[in-house]
Coordinates of all heavy atoms in Angstrom, one line a residue:
M8 N 10.0 -18.1 -1.8 CA 10.0 -17.1 -0.7 C 8.8 -16.1 -1.0 O 8.6 -15.7 -2.1 CB 11.3 -16.4 -0.8 CG 11.5 -15.3 0.3 SD 13.2 -14.7 0.3 CE 13.3 -14.2 2.0
N9 N 8.1 -15.8 0.1 CA 7.0 -14.8 0.0 C 7.5 -13.4 -0.1 O 8.5 -13.0 0.4 CB 6.1 -15.0 1.2 CG 5.4 -16.3 1.2 OD1 5.1 -16.9 0.2 ND2 5.2 -16.8 2.4
K10 N 6.6 -12.6 -0.8 CA 7.0 -11.2 -0.8 C 6.9 -10.5 0.5 O 6.0 -10.9 1.3 CB 6.0 -10.4 -1.8 CG 6.2 -10.8 -3.2 CD 5.2 -10.0 -4.1 CE 5.3 -10.4 -5.5 NZ 4.4 -9.6 -6.4
P11 N 7.7 -9.5 0.8 CA 7.7 -8.9 2.1 C 6.4 -8.0 2.2 O 5.8 -7.6 1.3 CB 8.9 -8.0 2.1 CG 9.3 -7.8 0.7 CD 8.8 -9.0 0.0
I12 N 6.0 -7.8 3.5 CA 4.8 -7.1 3.8 C 5.1 -6.0 4.9 O 6.0 -6.2 5.7 CB 3.7 -8.1 4.4 CG1 3.3 -9.1 3.4 CG2 2.5 -7.3 4.9 CD1 2.5 -10.2 4.0
K13 N 4.5 -4.9 4.7 CA 4.7 -3.8 5.6 C 4.7 -4.2 7.1 O 3.9 -5.0 7.5 CB 3.6 -2.7 5.4 CG 3.7 -1.5 6.2 CD 2.5 -0.5 5.9 CE 2.7 0.7 6.7 NZ 1.6 1.7 6.2
G14 N 5.7 -3.8 7.8 CA 5.9 -4.1 9.3 C 6.8 -5.3 9.6 O 7.2 -5.4 10.7
Q15 N 7.0 -6.1 8.6 CA 7.9 -7.3 8.8 C 9.3 -6.9 9.0 O 9.8 -5.8 8.5 CB 7.8 -8.3 7.7 CG 6.5 -9.0 7.5 CD 6.5 -9.9 6.3 OE1 7.0 -9.5 5.2 NE2 5.8 -11.0 6.4
K16 N 10.0 -7.7 9.8 CA 11.5 -7.4 10.0 C 12.3 -8.6 9.4 O 11.9 -9.7 9.4 CB 11.8 -7.4 11.5 CG 11.1 -6.2 12.2 CD 11.6 -6.0 13.6 CE 10.9 -4.8 14.3 NZ 11.2 -3.5 13.7
Y17 N 13.3 -8.1 8.7 CA 14.2 -9.1 8.0 C 15.7 -8.9 8.5 O 16.0 -7.8 8.9 CB 14.2 -8.8 6.5 CG 12.9 -9.4 5.8 CD1 11.7 -8.8 5.9 CD2 13.0 -10.6 5.1 CE1 10.6 -9.3 5.3 CE2 11.9 -11.1 4.4 CZ 10.7 -10.5 4.6 OH 9.6 -11.0 3.9
R18 N 16.4 -9.9 8.4 CA 17.9 -9.9 8.6 C 18.6 -9.9 7.3 O 18.4 -10.9 6.5 CB 18.3 -11.0 9.5 CG 19.9 -11.0 9.7 CD 20.3 -12.1 10.6 NE 19.9 -11.9 12.0 CZ 18.9 -12.5 12.7 NH1 18.3 -13.5 12.1 NH2 18.6 -12.2 13.9
H19 N 19.4 -8.9 7.0 CA 20.3 -8.9 5.9 C 21.4 -9.9 6.1 O 21.8 -10.1 7.3 CB 20.9 -7.5 5.6 CG 21.7 -7.4 4.4 ND1 23.0 -7.6 4.4 CD2 21.3 -7.1 3.1 CE1 23.5 -7.4 3.1 NE2 22.4 -7.1 2.4
F20 N 21.9 -10.5 5.1 CA 23.0 -11.6 5.3 C 24.2 -11.1 6.0 O 25.0 -11.8 6.5 CB 23.3 -12.3 4.0 CG 24.1 -11.5 3.0 CD1 25.5 -11.6 3.1 CD2 23.5 -10.7 2.1 CE1 26.3 -10.9 2.1 CE2 24.3 -10.0 1.2 CZ 25.7 -10.1 1.2
K21 N 24.4 -9.7 6.0 CA 25.6 -9.2 6.7 C 25.2 -8.8 8.2 O 26.0 -8.3 8.9 CB 26.1 -7.9 6.0 CG 26.7 -8.3 4.6 CD 27.2 -7.0 3.9 CE 27.9 -7.4 2.6 NZ 28.3 -6.2 1.9
G22 N 24.0 -9.1 8.6 CA 23.6 -9.0 10.0 C 22.7 -7.8 10.3 O 22.1 -7.8 11.4
N23 N 22.5 -6.9 9.5 CA 21.6 -5.7 9.7 C 20.1 -6.2 9.8 O 19.7 -7.0 9.1 CB 21.7 -4.7 8.7 CG 23.1 -4.1 8.6 OD1 23.8 -4.0 9.6 ND2 23.5 -3.7 7.4
I24 N 19.4 -5.6 10.7 CA 18.0 -5.8 10.8 C 17.2 -4.7 10.2 O 17.5 -3.5 10.5 CB 17.5 -6.0 12.3 CG1 18.3 -7.1 13.0 CG2 16.0 -6.2 12.4 CD1 18.2 -8.4 12.4
I25 N 16.3 -5.0 9.3 CA 15.6 -3.9 8.6 C 14.1 -4.1 8.8 O 13.6 -5.2 9.1 CB 15.9 -3.9 7.1 CG1 15.5 -5.2 6.4 CG2 17.4 -3.7 6.9 CD1 14.3 -5.1 5.6
T26 N 13.3 -3.0 8.7 CA 11.8 -3.1 8.8 C 11.2 -2.6 7.5 O 11.6 -1.6 6.9 CB 11.4 -2.1 9.9 OG1 12.0 -2.5 11.1 CG2 9.8 -2.2 10.1
I27 N 10.3 -3.4 7.0 CA 9.6 -3.1 5.7 C 8.7 -1.9 5.9 O 7.8 -2.0 6.8 CB 8.8 -4.3 5.2 CG1 9.7 -5.5 5.0 CG2 8.1 -4.0 3.9 CD1 10.9 -5.4 4.0
I28 N 8.8 -0.9 5.1 CA 7.9 0.2 5.2 C 6.8 0.0 4.2 O 5.6 0.2 4.5 CB 8.7 1.5 4.8 CG1 9.7 1.8 5.9 CG2 7.7 2.7 4.7 CD1 10.6 3.0 5.7
E29 N 7.1 -0.4 3.0 CA 6.1 -0.6 2.0 C 6.7 -1.3 0.8 O 7.9 -1.4 0.6 CB 5.5 0.7 1.5 CG 4.2 0.7 0.8 CD 3.1 0.0 1.5 OE1 2.5 0.7 2.4 OE2 2.8 -1.2 1.3
V30 N 5.8 -1.9 -0.1 CA 6.2 -2.4 -1.4 C 5.6 -1.4 -2.4 O 4.5 -1.0 -2.3 CB 5.7 -3.8 -1.6 CG1 6.0 -4.3 -3.0 CG2 6.4 -4.8 -0.6
G31 N 6.4 -1.1 -3.4 CA 5.9 -0.1 -4.4 C 6.3 -0.5 -5.8 O 6.8 -1.6 -6.0
K32 N 6.1 0.4 -6.8 CA 6.5 0.1 -8.2 C 7.3 1.3 -8.7 O 7.0 2.5 -8.4 CB 5.3 -0.1 -9.0 CG 4.6 -1.4 -8.8 CD 3.5 -1.6 -9.8 CE 2.8 -3.0 -9.6 NZ 1.9 -3.3 -10.6
H33 N 8.3 1.0 -9.5 CA 9.0 2.1 -10.2 C 8.1 2.8 -11.2 O 7.3 2.1 -11.9 CB 10.2 1.4 -10.9 CG 11.2 2.4 -11.5 ND1 10.9 3.1 -12.6 CD2 12.4 2.8 -11.1 CE1 11.9 3.9 -12.9 NE2 12.9 3.7 -12.0
T34 N 8.2 4.1 -11.2 CA 7.2 4.8 -12.0 C 7.3 4.6 -13.6 O 6.4 4.7 -14.3 CB 7.4 6.3 -11.8 OG1 8.7 6.7 -12.1 CG2 7.0 6.7 -10.4
E35 N 8.5 4.2 -14.0 CA 8.7 4.1 -15.5 C 8.7 2.6 -15.9 O 8.1 2.2 -16.9 CB 10.0 4.8 -15.9 CG 9.9 6.2 -15.6 CD 10.6 7.1 -16.5 OE1 11.1 6.7 -17.6 OE2 10.6 8.3 -16.3
T36 N 9.4 1.8 -15.1 CA 9.5 0.3 -15.5 C 8.4 -0.5 -14.9 O 8.2 -1.7 -15.4 CB 10.8 -0.2 -15.1 OG1 10.9 -0.2 -13.6 CG2 12.0 0.6 -15.6
L37 N 7.7 0.0 -13.9 CA 6.7 -0.8 -13.2 C 7.3 -2.0 -12.4 O 6.6 -2.8 -11.9 CB 5.5 -1.2 -14.0 CG 4.8 -0.1 -14.7 CD1 3.6 -0.7 -15.6 CD2 4.3 0.9 -13.8
E38 N 8.6 -2.0 -12.3 CA 9.3 -3.0 -11.5 C 8.9 -2.8 -10.0 O 8.9 -1.7 -9.5 CB 10.8 -2.9 -11.7 CG 11.6 -3.9 -10.8 CD 13.1 -3.7 -11.0 OE1 13.6 -2.6 -11.4 OE2 13.8 -4.7 -10.7
E39 N 8.6 -3.9 -9.3 CA 8.3 -3.9 -7.9 C 9.6 -3.5 -7.1 O 10.7 -4.1 -7.5 CB 7.7 -5.2 -7.4 CG 6.3 -5.4 -7.8 CD 5.7 -6.6 -7.0 OE1 6.1 -7.7 -7.3 OE2 4.7 -6.4 -6.3
V40 N 9.4 -2.7 -6.1 CA 10.5 -2.3 -5.2 C 10.1 -2.5 -3.8 O 8.9 -2.5 -3.5 CB 11.0 -0.9 -5.5 CG1 11.6 -0.7 -6.8 CG2 9.9 0.1 -5.2
V41 N 11.1 -2.7 -2.9 CA 10.9 -2.9 -1.5 C 11.4 -1.6 -0.8 O 12.6 -1.2 -1.1 CB 11.5 -4.1 -0.9 CG1 11.3 -4.2 0.6 CG2 11.1 -5.4 -1.6
I42 N 10.7 -1.0 0.0 CA 11.1 0.2 0.7 C 11.2 -0.2 2.1 O 10.3 -0.7 2.7 CB 10.0 1.4 0.5 CG1 9.8 1.6 -1.0 CG2 10.5 2.6 1.3 CD1 8.5 2.3 -1.3
Y43 N 12.4 0.1 2.7 CA 12.7 -0.4 4.1 C 13.5 0.6 4.8 O 14.1 1.5 4.3 CB 13.3 -1.8 4.1 CG 14.6 -1.9 3.4 CD1 15.8 -1.8 4.1 CD2 14.7 -2.2 2.0 CE1 17.0 -2.0 3.5 CE2 15.9 -2.4 1.4 CZ 17.1 -2.3 2.1 OH 18.3 -2.4 1.5
E44 N 13.5 0.4 6.2 CA 14.2 1.3 7.1 C 15.3 0.5 7.8 O 15.1 -0.6 8.2 CB 13.3 1.9 8.1 CG 13.9 2.9 9.0 CD 14.5 2.3 10.3 OE1 14.0 1.2 10.7 OE2 15.4 2.8 10.8
H45 N 16.5 1.2 7.9 CA 17.6 0.6 8.7 C 18.3 1.8 9.3 O 18.8 2.7 8.6 CB 18.6 -0.2 7.8 CG 19.8 -0.5 8.5 ND1 19.9 -1.3 9.6 CD2 21.1 -0.1 8.3 CE1 21.1 -1.4 10.0 NE2 21.9 -0.7 9.2
D46 N 18.5 1.8 10.6 CA 19.2 2.8 11.4 C 18.7 4.2 11.0 O 19.5 5.1 10.9 CB 20.7 2.7 11.1 CG 21.4 1.8 12.1 OD1 20.7 1.3 13.0 OD2 22.6 1.5 11.9
G47 N 17.4 4.4 10.9 CA 16.8 5.7 10.7 C 16.9 6.2 9.2 O 16.5 7.3 8.9
E48 N 17.4 5.4 8.3 CA 17.5 5.8 6.9 C 16.6 4.9 6.1 O 16.3 3.7 6.4 CB 18.9 5.6 6.4 CG 19.9 6.5 7.0 CD 21.3 6.5 6.2 OE1 21.3 6.9 5.1 OE2 22.2 6.0 6.9
I49 N 16.0 5.5 5.0 CA 15.1 4.8 4.2 C 15.9 4.3 2.9 O 16.6 5.1 2.3 CB 13.9 5.7 3.7 CG1 13.3 6.4 4.9 CG2 13.0 5.0 2.8 CD1 12.7 5.4 5.9
W50 N 15.6 3.0 2.6 CA 16.3 2.4 1.5 C 15.3 1.8 0.5 O 14.2 1.4 0.9 CB 17.2 1.3 2.0 CG 18.3 1.8 2.9 CD1 18.2 2.0 4.2 CD2 19.6 2.2 2.5 NE1 19.4 2.5 4.7 CE2 20.3 2.6 3.7 CE3 20.3 2.2 1.3 CZ2 21.6 3.1 3.7 CZ3 21.6 2.7 1.3 CH2 22.2 3.1 2.5
V51 N 15.6 1.7 -0.8 CA 14.8 1.1 -1.8 C 15.6 0.1 -2.6 O 16.8 0.4 -2.9 CB 14.2 2.2 -2.8 CG1 13.4 1.5 -3.9 CG2 13.4 3.2 -2.0
R52 N 15.0 -1.1 -2.8 CA 15.8 -2.1 -3.5 C 14.8 -2.8 -4.4 O 13.6 -3.1 -4.0 CB 16.3 -3.1 -2.5 CG 17.2 -4.2 -3.1 CD 17.8 -5.1 -2.0 NE 18.6 -4.4 -1.0 CZ 19.9 -4.5 -1.0 NH1 20.6 -5.2 -1.9 NH2 20.6 -3.9 -0.1
P53 N 15.2 -3.2 -5.6 CA 14.3 -4.0 -6.5 C 13.9 -5.3 -5.8 O 14.7 -5.9 -5.1 CB 15.1 -4.3 -7.7 CG 16.2 -3.2 -7.7 CD 16.5 -2.9 -6.2
M54 N 12.6 -5.6 -6.0 CA 12.0 -6.9 -5.3 C 12.9 -8.1 -5.7 O 13.2 -8.9 -4.9 CB 10.6 -7.1 -5.8 CG 9.9 -8.3 -5.2 SD 9.6 -8.2 -3.5 CE 8.2 -7.1 -3.5
K55 N 13.2 -8.2 -7.0 CA 14.0 -9.3 -7.4 C 15.3 -9.5 -6.7 O 15.7 -10.5 -6.3 CB 14.3 -9.2 -9.0 CG 15.0 -10.4 -9.6 CD 15.1 -10.2 -11.1 CE 15.8 -11.4 -11.7 NZ 15.9 -11.3 -13.1
M56 N 16.0 -8.3 -6.4 CA 17.2 -8.4 -5.6 C 16.9 -8.7 -4.2 O 17.7 -9.4 -3.5 CB 18.0 -7.0 -5.8 CG 19.3 -7.0 -5.1 SD 20.1 -5.3 -5.1 CE 20.6 -5.3 -6.8
F57 N 15.9 -8.1 -3.6 CA 15.5 -8.3 -2.2 C 15.3 -9.8 -2.0 O 15.7 -10.3 -1.0 CB 14.3 -7.5 -1.9 CG 13.9 -7.6 -0.4 CD1 14.4 -6.6 0.4 CD2 13.1 -8.5 0.1 CE1 14.1 -6.6 1.8 CE2 12.8 -8.6 1.5 CZ 13.3 -7.6 2.3
L58 N 14.7 -10.5 -2.9 CA 14.3 -11.9 -2.7 C 15.4 -12.9 -3.2 O 15.3 -14.1 -3.1 CB 13.0 -12.2 -3.5 CG 11.8 -11.5 -3.0 CD1 10.6 -11.8 -3.9 CD2 11.4 -11.8 -1.6
S59 N 16.5 -12.3 -3.7 CA 17.6 -13.2 -4.3 C 18.4 -13.9 -3.2 O 18.4 -13.6 -2.0 CB 18.5 -12.4 -5.1 OG 19.3 -11.5 -4.3
E60 N 19.1 -15.0 -3.6 CA 19.9 -15.7 -2.8 C 21.3 -15.0 -2.6 O 21.7 -14.3 -3.5 CB 20.2 -17.1 -3.3 CG 18.9 -18.0 -3.2 CD 19.1 -19.4 -3.6 OE1 20.3 -19.9 -3.5 OE2 18.2 -20.1 -3.9
V61 N 22.0 -15.3 -1.5 CA 23.3 -14.8 -1.3 C 24.2 -15.4 -2.4 O 24.1 -16.6 -2.7 CB 23.8 -15.1 0.1 CG1 25.3 -14.7 0.3 CG2 22.9 -14.5 1.2
D62 N 25.2 -14.6 -2.9 CA 26.2 -15.1 -3.8 C 27.3 -15.8 -2.9 O 28.1 -15.1 -2.4 CB 26.8 -14.0 -4.6 CG 27.9 -14.4 -5.6 OD1 28.3 -15.6 -5.5 OD2 28.2 -13.6 -6.4
H63 N 27.1 -17.1 -2.8 CA 28.0 -17.8 -1.9 C 29.4 -18.0 -2.5 O 30.4 -18.4 -1.8 CB 27.4 -19.2 -1.5 CG 26.4 -19.0 -0.5 ND1 25.0 -19.0 -0.8 CD2 26.4 -18.8 0.8 CE1 24.3 -18.8 0.3 NE2 25.1 -18.7 1.3
E64 N 29.6 -17.7 -3.8 CA 31.0 -17.7 -4.3 C 31.7 -16.4 -3.8 O 32.9 -16.5 -3.5 CB 30.9 -17.8 -5.8 CG 30.5 -19.1 -6.3 CD 30.6 -19.2 -7.8 OE1 31.4 -18.5 -8.5 OE2 29.9 -20.1 -8.4
K65 N 31.0 -15.3 -3.8 CA 31.5 -14.1 -3.3 C 31.6 -14.0 -1.8 O 32.5 -13.4 -1.3 CB 30.7 -12.9 -3.9 CG 31.2 -11.5 -3.6 CD 30.4 -10.5 -4.3 CE 30.9 -9.1 -4.0 NZ 30.1 -8.0 -4.7
Y66 N 30.6 -14.6 -1.1 CA 30.6 -14.6 0.3 C 30.5 -16.1 0.9 O 29.5 -16.5 1.4 CB 29.4 -13.8 0.8 CG 29.3 -12.4 0.4 CD1 28.5 -12.0 -0.7 CD2 30.1 -11.4 1.0 CE1 28.5 -10.7 -1.1 CE2 30.1 -10.1 0.6 CZ 29.3 -9.7 -0.5 OH 29.3 -8.4 -0.9
P67 N 31.6 -16.8 0.7 CA 31.5 -18.2 1.1 C 31.3 -18.5 2.6 O 30.8 -19.6 3.0 CB 32.9 -18.8 0.7 CG 33.8 -17.6 0.6 CD 32.9 -16.4 0.3
E68 N 31.6 -17.5 3.4 CA 31.5 -17.7 4.9 C 30.0 -17.5 5.4 O 29.7 -17.8 6.5 CB 32.4 -16.7 5.6 CG 32.0 -15.2 5.6 CD 32.2 -14.5 4.2 OE1 32.8 -15.1 3.3 OE2 31.7 -13.4 4.1
V69 N 29.1 -16.9 4.5 CA 27.8 -16.6 4.9 C 26.9 -17.9 4.9 O 26.9 -18.7 3.9 CB 27.1 -15.6 4.0 CG1 25.7 -15.4 4.2 CG2 27.9 -14.3 4.1
E70 N 26.2 -18.2 6.0 CA 25.4 -19.4 6.1 C 24.0 -19.1 5.7 O 23.3 -20.0 5.3 CB 25.4 -19.9 7.6 CG 26.8 -20.4 8.0 CD 26.8 -21.0 9.4 OE1 25.7 -21.2 9.9 OE2 27.9 -21.1 9.9
Q71 N 23.5 -17.9 5.7 CA 22.2 -17.5 5.3 C 22.0 -17.8 3.8 O 22.8 -17.5 3.0 CB 21.9 -16.0 5.6 CG 20.5 -15.6 5.5 CD 20.3 -14.2 6.2 OE1 20.6 -14.0 7.3 NE2 19.8 -13.3 5.4
T72 N 20.8 -18.3 3.5 CA 20.5 -18.7 2.1 C 20.2 -17.5 1.2 O 20.7 -17.3 0.1 CB 19.4 -19.7 2.0 OG1 19.8 -20.9 2.8 CG2 19.1 -20.1 0.6
Y73 N 19.3 -16.6 1.8 CA 18.8 -15.5 1.0 C 19.4 -14.2 1.5 O 19.8 -14.1 2.7 CB 17.2 -15.4 1.1 CG 16.6 -16.6 0.4 CD1 16.1 -17.7 1.1 CD2 16.4 -16.5 -0.9 CE1 15.5 -18.7 0.5 CE2 15.7 -17.6 -1.6 CZ 15.4 -18.7 -0.9 OH 14.8 -19.8 -1.5
R74 N 19.4 -13.2 0.6 CA 20.0 -11.9 0.9 C 19.3 -11.3 2.2 O 19.9 -10.8 3.1 CB 19.7 -10.9 -0.3 CG 20.3 -9.6 -0.1 CD 20.0 -8.7 -1.3 NE 20.7 -9.2 -2.5 CZ 21.9 -8.9 -2.9 NH1 22.6 -8.0 -2.2 NH2 22.4 -9.4 -4.0
F75 N 17.9 -11.4 2.2 CA 17.1 -11.0 3.4 C 16.3 -12.2 3.8 O 15.7 -12.9 3.0 CB 16.2 -9.9 3.0 CG 16.9 -8.6 2.8 CD1 17.3 -8.2 1.5 CD2 17.2 -7.7 3.8 CE1 18.0 -7.0 1.3 CE2 17.8 -6.5 3.6 CZ 18.2 -6.1 2.3
E76 N 16.3 -12.5 5.1 CA 15.4 -13.5 5.7 C 14.5 -13.0 6.8 O 15.0 -12.2 7.6 CB 16.3 -14.7 6.2 CG 17.0 -15.4 5.0 CD 17.6 -16.7 5.4 OE1 17.8 -17.0 6.6 OE2 18.1 -17.4 4.5
L77 N 13.2 -13.4 6.7 CA 12.2 -12.9 7.6 C 12.6 -13.4 9.0 O 12.9 -14.6 9.2 CB 10.9 -13.5 7.2 CG 9.7 -13.1 8.1 CD1 9.4 -11.6 8.0 CD2 8.4 -13.9 7.7
I78 N 12.6 -12.5 10.0 CA 12.8 -12.8 11.4 C 11.6 -12.6 12.3 O 11.5 -13.2 13.4 CB 14.1 -12.1 12.0 CG1 13.9 -10.6 11.9 CG2 15.3 -12.6 11.3 CD1 15.0 -9.9 12.7
E79 N 10.7 -11.7 11.9 CA 9.6 -11.4 12.7 C 8.5 -10.9 11.8 O 8.7 -10.1 10.9 CB 10.0 -10.3 13.7 CG 8.9 -9.9 14.6 CD 9.4 -8.8 15.6 OE1 10.6 -8.7 15.9 OE2 8.5 -8.1 16.1
D80 N 7.3 -11.4 12.0 CA 6.1 -11.0 11.2 C 5.1 -10.2 12.1 O 4.4 -10.8 12.9 CB 5.4 -12.2 10.6 CG 4.4 -11.8 9.6 OD1 4.0 -10.6 9.6 OD2 4.0 -12.7 8.9
E81 N 5.2 -8.9 12.1 CA 4.3 -8.0 12.9 C 2.9 -7.8 12.3 O 2.1 -7.1 12.8 CB 5.0 -6.7 13.1 CG 6.2 -6.8 13.9 CD 6.9 -5.4 14.2 OE1 6.4 -4.4 13.7 OE2 7.8 -5.4 15.0
T82 N 2.7 -8.5 11.1 CA 1.4 -8.3 10.5 C 0.4 -9.3 11.0 O -0.8 -9.1 10.6 CB 1.6 -8.5 8.9 OG1 2.0 -9.8 8.7 CG2 2.6 -7.5 8.4
E83 N 0.8 -10.3 11.8 CA -0.2 -11.3 12.3 C -0.8 -10.8 13.5 O -0.3 -10.1 14.3 CB 0.5 -12.6 12.4 CG 1.0 -13.1 11.1 CD 1.8 -14.5 11.3 OE1 2.0 -14.9 12.4 OE2 2.1 -15.0 10.2

């Protein structure tokens, strides 16, 4: 799975549509983070978690493979 890029839209496995604001780094650990917007609020999530697969044992009804899946690429 490719890293998210500013402007792209993703669907969270629970159905929310989010827009990537930027990719950054944690100031102390240098871990990459994804900064995104949903419903007027700004959220930050570790890149590793953003790119992870859905836990299908915990959410067996979910058909989506990844926690977030690209639905629109506004960068092209």
Side-chain angles (χ1 to χ4, degrees):
M8 182 173 207
N9 293 328
K10 290 183 182 180
I12 298 171
K13 184 177 182 175
Q15 290 177 321
K16 294 193 182 294
Y17 281 78
R18 177 178 289 107
H19 185 267
F20 75 92
K21 293 182 180 177
N23 298 329
I24 305 300
I25 63 103
T26 303
I27 303 299
I28 295 174
E29 196 59 80
V30 172
K32 288 188 178 186
H33 189 286
T34 58
E35 302 214 4
T36 65
L37 301 180
E38 177 182 23
E39 283 189 296
V40 294
V41 180
I42 304 157
Y43 61 93
E44 183 273 332
H45 168 65
D46 273 351
E48 292 190 67
I49 306 301
W50 298 85
V51 177
R52 187 180 295 257
M54 178 71 73
K55 186 175 180 178
M56 183 185 284
F57 188 90
L58 297 176
S59 69
E60 291 190 22
V61 173
D62 180 347
H63 285 100
E64 288 185 23
K65 186 174 180 180
Y66 301 100
E68 71 288 352
V69 174
E70 293 182 17
Q71 189 165 307
T72 302
Y73 293 97
R74 181 180 298 269
F75 290 91
E76 291 190 352
L77 182 65
I78 58 170
E79 183 179 333
D80 189 346
E81 294 183 354
T82 63
E83 297 178 356

